[in-house]
Amino acid sequence: MTPRSHPPTPPGWFVTGTDTGVGKTVVACALAEELRARHIDVGVMKPIETGVGGQGPLDAMALAEAAGADDALERICPVQLALPAAPSAAAAAEGSEITLPRIRAAFDALRARHECMIVEGAGGLLVPIRERDSMADLARELGLPLLIVARGRLGTINHTLLTLEVAAARGLPVAGVILSHGPIPLSSADAANLSVLRGLLGDKLLGEIPPFDPGEGAPAGAIALDRLLASGTRVETR
Ligand SMILES: Nc1ncnc2c1ncn2[C@@H]1O[C@H](COP(=O)(O)OP(=O)(O)OP(=O)(O)O)[C@@H](O)[C@H]1O
Ligand SMILES: [Mg+2]
Protein backbone atom coordinates (compact mmCIF):
# COMPACT_ATOMS: atom_id res chain seq x y z
CA MET A 1 0.00 0.00 0.00
CA THR A 2 1.26 3.47 -0.87
CA PRO A 3 2.36 5.46 2.20
CA ARG A 4 0.44 8.71 2.70
CA SER A 5 1.20 11.89 4.54
CA HIS A 6 -0.96 13.45 7.25
CA PRO A 7 -3.74 14.27 8.07
CA PRO A 8 -4.83 10.74 9.03
CA THR A 9 -7.85 9.19 7.33
CA PRO A 10 -11.04 9.88 9.31
CA PRO A 11 -12.87 6.81 10.65
CA GLY A 12 -15.52 7.26 7.98
CA TRP A 13 -18.87 8.89 7.29
CA PHE A 14 -22.54 8.16 7.78
CA VAL A 15 -24.17 9.13 4.48
CA THR A 16 -27.64 10.41 5.21
CA GLY A 17 -30.09 12.27 3.02
CA THR A 18 -32.83 14.84 3.15
CA ASP A 19 -35.20 12.16 1.84
CA THR A 20 -35.30 8.78 0.18
CA GLY A 21 -34.12 8.72 -3.45
CA VAL A 22 -31.95 11.85 -3.20
CA GLY A 23 -28.66 10.26 -4.30
CA LYS A 24 -27.16 8.73 -1.14
CA THR A 25 -26.03 5.59 -2.97
CA VAL A 26 -24.70 7.63 -5.88
CA VAL A 27 -22.62 9.77 -3.51
CA ALA A 28 -21.51 6.87 -1.29
CA CYS A 29 -20.33 4.90 -4.35
CA ALA A 30 -18.53 7.93 -5.80
CA LEU A 31 -16.82 8.54 -2.47
CA ALA A 32 -15.76 4.89 -2.19
CA GLU A 33 -14.26 5.02 -5.68
CA GLU A 34 -12.40 8.27 -4.96
CA LEU A 35 -10.96 6.81 -1.75
CA ARG A 36 -9.90 3.65 -3.54
CA ALA A 37 -8.17 5.75 -6.17
CA ARG A 38 -6.12 7.22 -3.31
CA HIS A 39 -5.23 3.75 -2.04
CA ILE A 40 -7.42 4.13 1.04
CA ASP A 41 -8.94 0.80 2.07
CA VAL A 42 -12.61 1.57 2.50
CA GLY A 43 -15.31 -0.65 3.96
CA VAL A 44 -18.99 -0.09 3.27
CA MET A 45 -22.26 -0.77 4.97
CA LYS A 46 -25.95 -0.35 4.25
CA PRO A 47 -27.03 -1.51 7.70
CA ILE A 48 -30.75 -1.52 6.93
CA GLU A 49 -32.07 -2.00 3.42
CA THR A 50 -35.80 -2.18 2.76
CA GLY A 51 -37.53 -3.17 -0.46
CA VAL A 52 -35.12 -6.09 -0.89
CA GLY A 53 -36.34 -8.49 -3.57
CA GLY A 54 -34.99 -11.59 -5.26
CA GLN A 55 -31.93 -9.78 -6.61
CA GLY A 56 -30.71 -9.06 -3.08
CA PRO A 57 -29.92 -5.73 -1.37
CA LEU A 58 -29.09 -3.60 -4.42
CA ASP A 59 -27.71 -0.57 -2.54
CA ALA A 60 -25.42 -2.77 -0.45
CA MET A 61 -24.23 -4.62 -3.55
CA ALA A 62 -23.51 -1.35 -5.39
CA LEU A 63 -21.55 -0.04 -2.40
CA ALA A 64 -19.52 -3.25 -2.11
CA GLU A 65 -18.65 -3.14 -5.80
CA ALA A 66 -17.63 0.53 -5.67
CA ALA A 67 -15.40 -0.10 -2.64
CA GLY A 68 -14.02 -3.39 -3.96
CA ALA A 69 -15.02 -4.87 -0.59
CA ASP A 70 -15.04 -8.65 -0.30
CA ASP A 71 -16.87 -8.72 3.05
CA ALA A 72 -19.91 -10.97 3.48
CA LEU A 73 -23.08 -9.30 2.25
CA GLU A 74 -24.77 -10.27 5.54
CA ARG A 75 -22.26 -8.05 7.33
CA ILE A 76 -22.46 -5.19 4.86
CA CYS A 77 -26.25 -5.36 5.08
CA PRO A 78 -27.25 -7.17 8.27
CA VAL A 79 -30.90 -6.09 8.14
CA GLN A 80 -32.62 -6.89 4.82
CA LEU A 81 -36.36 -6.35 4.66
CA ALA A 82 -38.81 -6.94 1.83
CA LEU A 83 -41.35 -4.17 2.37
CA PRO A 84 -40.26 -0.88 0.69
CA ALA A 85 -41.20 1.15 3.77
CA ALA A 86 -39.55 2.81 6.76
CA PRO A 87 -37.35 0.29 8.62
CA SER A 88 -39.62 0.05 11.68
CA ALA A 89 -42.66 -0.63 9.46
CA ALA A 90 -40.81 -3.07 7.20
CA ALA A 91 -39.54 -4.99 10.25
CA ALA A 92 -42.97 -5.04 11.90
CA ALA A 93 -44.46 -6.43 8.69
CA GLU A 94 -42.14 -9.44 9.11
CA GLY A 95 -42.75 -9.71 12.86
CA SER A 96 -39.15 -8.70 13.62
CA GLU A 97 -37.47 -5.83 15.41
CA ILE A 98 -34.27 -4.00 14.50
CA THR A 99 -31.79 -3.57 17.33
CA LEU A 100 -28.82 -1.20 17.30
CA PRO A 101 -26.38 -3.64 19.02
CA ARG A 102 -26.82 -6.13 16.17
CA ILE A 103 -25.90 -3.47 13.62
CA ARG A 104 -23.08 -2.24 15.85
CA ALA A 105 -21.55 -5.73 15.98
CA ALA A 106 -21.49 -6.00 12.18
CA PHE A 107 -20.05 -2.47 11.92
CA ASP A 108 -17.29 -3.22 14.44
CA ALA A 109 -16.28 -6.34 12.52
CA LEU A 110 -16.04 -4.36 9.27
CA ARG A 111 -14.34 -1.37 10.88
CA ALA A 112 -11.61 -3.69 12.17
CA ARG A 113 -10.89 -4.83 8.60
CA HIS A 114 -10.79 -1.42 6.89
CA GLU A 115 -9.07 1.91 7.16
CA CYS A 116 -12.33 3.83 7.04
CA MET A 117 -16.03 3.14 6.61
CA ILE A 118 -18.83 4.55 4.47
CA VAL A 119 -22.24 3.74 5.94
CA GLU A 120 -25.40 4.58 3.98
CA GLY A 121 -28.51 5.24 6.04
CA ALA A 122 -32.08 4.58 4.90
CA GLY A 123 -34.21 7.62 4.10
CA GLY A 124 -33.37 10.64 6.26
CA LEU A 125 -32.25 11.27 9.85
CA LEU A 126 -35.61 10.95 11.60
CA VAL A 127 -36.77 7.79 9.83
CA PRO A 128 -37.75 5.34 12.59
CA ILE A 129 -35.85 2.12 13.12
CA ARG A 130 -37.57 0.85 16.25
CA GLU A 131 -39.79 2.42 18.88
CA ARG A 132 -38.03 5.72 19.57
CA ASP A 133 -34.78 4.90 17.74
CA SER A 134 -34.21 6.68 14.43
CA MET A 135 -31.43 6.86 11.83
CA ALA A 136 -29.95 9.71 13.88
CA ASP A 137 -29.56 7.30 16.82
CA LEU A 138 -27.85 4.80 14.54
CA ALA A 139 -25.42 7.48 13.30
CA ARG A 140 -24.63 8.34 16.93
CA GLU A 141 -24.20 4.66 17.83
CA LEU A 142 -21.66 4.19 15.03
CA GLY A 143 -19.80 7.40 15.96
CA LEU A 144 -19.41 8.65 12.41
CA PRO A 145 -19.83 12.25 11.19
CA LEU A 146 -22.70 12.88 8.80
CA LEU A 147 -22.32 13.46 5.09
CA ILE A 148 -25.69 14.87 4.06
CA VAL A 149 -26.96 14.35 0.53
CA ALA A 150 -29.64 16.73 -0.71
CA ARG A 151 -31.58 17.19 -3.96
CA GLY A 152 -30.87 20.03 -6.33
CA ARG A 153 -34.58 20.76 -6.78
CA LEU A 154 -37.17 23.12 -5.33
CA GLY A 155 -37.88 22.19 -1.72
CA THR A 156 -34.28 21.33 -1.03
CA ILE A 157 -33.46 24.50 0.93
CA ASN A 158 -36.02 23.65 3.59
CA HIS A 159 -35.14 19.94 3.68
CA THR A 160 -31.40 20.62 3.88
CA LEU A 161 -31.68 23.22 6.63
CA LEU A 162 -34.07 20.98 8.59
CA THR A 163 -31.56 18.14 8.41
CA LEU A 164 -28.74 20.43 9.59
CA GLU A 165 -30.95 21.67 12.44
CA VAL A 166 -31.68 18.11 13.57
CA ALA A 167 -27.99 17.21 13.43
CA ALA A 168 -27.09 20.29 15.49
CA ALA A 169 -29.91 19.70 17.99
CA ARG A 170 -28.61 16.17 18.57
CA GLY A 171 -24.95 17.13 18.65
CA LEU A 172 -24.15 15.00 15.60
CA PRO A 173 -21.00 16.13 13.77
CA VAL A 174 -21.55 17.14 10.13
CA ALA A 175 -18.67 16.69 7.70
CA GLY A 176 -20.53 18.43 4.88
CA VAL A 177 -23.34 18.47 2.33
CA ILE A 178 -23.40 17.16 -1.25
CA LEU A 179 -26.10 18.22 -3.71
CA SER A 180 -27.18 15.74 -6.36
CA HIS A 181 -29.01 17.41 -9.21
CA GLY A 182 -30.85 14.25 -10.29
CA PRO A 183 -31.28 12.94 -13.83
CA ILE A 184 -33.03 15.98 -15.38
CA PRO A 185 -31.21 19.27 -16.08
CA LEU A 186 -32.05 22.00 -13.58
CA SER A 187 -34.79 24.47 -14.50
CA SER A 188 -34.04 28.16 -14.13
CA ALA A 189 -36.10 28.12 -10.90
CA ASP A 190 -34.04 25.19 -9.57
CA ALA A 191 -30.82 27.00 -10.50
CA ALA A 192 -31.92 30.20 -8.73
CA ASN A 193 -32.93 28.16 -5.71
CA LEU A 194 -29.61 26.34 -5.62
CA SER A 195 -27.61 29.52 -5.69
CA VAL A 196 -29.42 30.58 -2.51
CA LEU A 197 -28.68 27.22 -0.89
CA ARG A 198 -25.00 27.41 -1.89
CA GLY A 199 -24.79 30.76 -0.12
CA LEU A 200 -26.48 29.40 3.00
CA LEU A 201 -24.22 26.34 3.14
CA GLY A 202 -20.94 28.17 2.59
CA ASP A 203 -18.00 25.87 3.24
CA LYS A 204 -20.29 23.03 4.34
CA LEU A 205 -21.00 22.40 0.64
CA LEU A 206 -18.54 19.72 -0.46
CA GLY A 207 -19.71 19.07 -3.98
CA GLU A 208 -22.48 18.79 -6.53
CA ILE A 209 -23.33 15.84 -8.75
CA PRO A 210 -24.57 17.08 -12.13
CA PRO A 211 -27.13 15.04 -14.13
CA PHE A 212 -25.56 11.87 -15.54
CA ASP A 213 -26.89 9.36 -18.07
CA PRO A 214 -28.51 6.09 -16.96
CA GLY A 215 -25.89 3.46 -16.19
CA GLU A 216 -23.26 6.07 -15.36
CA GLY A 217 -22.37 7.60 -12.01
CA ALA A 218 -21.02 10.79 -10.56
CA PRO A 219 -18.13 12.28 -12.55
CA ALA A 220 -14.69 11.91 -10.97
CA GLY A 221 -13.80 14.86 -8.78
CA ALA A 222 -17.42 15.90 -8.07
CA ILE A 223 -16.80 15.47 -4.34
CA ALA A 224 -14.23 17.82 -2.75
CA LEU A 225 -12.34 14.90 -1.22
CA ASP A 226 -9.47 16.88 0.26
CA ARG A 227 -11.89 19.13 2.12
CA LEU A 228 -13.93 16.13 3.25
CA LEU A 229 -10.83 14.35 4.54
CA ALA A 230 -9.76 17.53 6.33
CA SER A 231 -13.20 18.00 7.91
CA GLY A 232 -12.37 15.29 10.45
CA THR A 233 -15.07 14.95 13.06
CA ARG A 234 -15.74 18.59 13.90
CA VAL A 235 -19.13 19.25 15.50
CA GLU A 236 -21.12 21.99 13.79
CA THR A 237 -22.88 24.46 16.01
CA ARG A 238 -25.66 26.70 14.83
N1 LIG B 1 -26.97 13.49 -10.43
C1 LIG B 1 -27.73 12.48 -10.89
N2 LIG B 1 -27.87 12.27 -12.22
C2 LIG B 1 -28.62 11.25 -12.68
N3 LIG B 1 -29.27 10.36 -11.90
C3 LIG B 1 -29.15 10.52 -10.57
C4 LIG B 1 -28.39 11.57 -9.99
N4 LIG B 1 -28.48 11.47 -8.62
C5 LIG B 1 -29.25 10.41 -8.38
N5 LIG B 1 -29.66 9.83 -9.54
C6 LIG B 1 -30.53 8.68 -9.70
O1 LIG B 1 -31.63 8.85 -8.81
C7 LIG B 1 -32.00 7.59 -8.26
C8 LIG B 1 -31.93 7.68 -6.74
O2 LIG B 1 -30.56 7.84 -6.36
P1 LIG B 1 -29.99 6.94 -5.18
O3 LIG B 1 -30.38 5.52 -5.35
O4 LIG B 1 -28.53 7.24 -5.06
O5 LIG B 1 -30.81 7.58 -3.97
P2 LIG B 1 -30.80 7.12 -2.44
O6 LIG B 1 -30.89 8.36 -1.63
O7 LIG B 1 -29.65 6.23 -2.21
O8 LIG B 1 -32.17 6.30 -2.34
P3 LIG B 1 -32.62 5.28 -1.17
O9 LIG B 1 -33.31 6.13 -0.15
O10 LIG B 1 -33.55 4.35 -1.90
O11 LIG B 1 -31.40 4.59 -0.65
C9 LIG B 1 -31.07 6.55 -8.85
O12 LIG B 1 -31.67 5.96 -9.98
C10 LIG B 1 -29.86 7.38 -9.28
O13 LIG B 1 -29.12 6.80 -10.34
MG1 LIG C 1 -29.63 4.25 -1.58
Side-chain angles (χ1 to χ4, degrees):
M1 183 159 292
T2 310
R4 293 186 314 280
S5 56
H6 290 290
T9 307
W13 301 273
F14 187 93
V15 180
T16 190
T18 53
D19 196 358
T20 187
V22 292
K24 295 184 297 292
T25 305
V26 164
V27 167
C29 287
L31 179 55
E33 285 166 4
E34 299 269 355
L35 291 166
R36 268 179 96 185
R38 295 206 188 185
H39 306 285
I40 295 173
D41 175 5
V42 58
V44 287
M45 205 177 178
K46 172 87 181 185
I48 305 168
E49 187 157 343
T50 64
V52 176
Q55 292 177 288
L58 297 179
D59 277 12
M61 290 155 68
L63 292 171
E65 187 179 342
D70 63 355
D71 305 290
L73 202 50
E74 292 67 32
R75 262 198 186 145
I76 292 173
C77 188
V79 181
Q80 302 179 22
L81 299 161
L83 197 69
S88 62
E94 298 184 11
S96 64
E97 201 175 50
I98 303 168
T99 63
L100 296 186
R102 179 174 161 212
I103 293 172
R104 180 60 198 255
F107 173 80
D108 287 344
L110 291 173
R111 179 75 188 88
R113 294 193 70 201
H114 298 283
E115 230 172 321
C116 78
M117 290 290 297
I118 299 172
V119 179
E120 183 191 335
L125 275 183
L126 294 186
V127 163
I129 293 175
R130 163 186 179 266
E131 293 176 0
R132 299 178 77 86
D133 288 339
S134 68
M135 277 291 148
D137 296 297
L138 177 56
R140 179 193 306 286
E141 174 72 27
L142 301 185
L144 297 176
L146 303 177
L147 181 59
I148 298 168
V149 182
R151 284 196 178 91
R153 308 276 150 188
L154 290 182
T156 197
I157 295 177
N158 182 51
H159 291 155
T160 306
L161 298 182
L162 285 172
T163 301
L164 285 165
E165 288 274 354
V166 167
R170 292 172 176 238
L172 296 172
V174 176
V177 177
I178 309 272
L179 301 172
S180 190
H181 293 192
I184 303 162
L186 297 181
S187 68
S188 58
D190 290 328
N193 204 55
L194 267 199
S195 70
V196 172
L197 183 56
R198 287 187 195 110
L200 289 167
L201 290 174
D203 67 1
K204 286 194 194 76
L205 181 57
L206 293 181
E208 298 190 30
I209 315 290
F212 54 76
D213 291 330
E216 295 189 1
I223 299 172
L225 189 57
D226 286 328
R227 286 174 52 216
L228 177 62
L229 289 169
S231 70
T233 56
R234 71 185 170 187
V235 178
E236 297 291 337
T237 50
R238 294 175 64 76

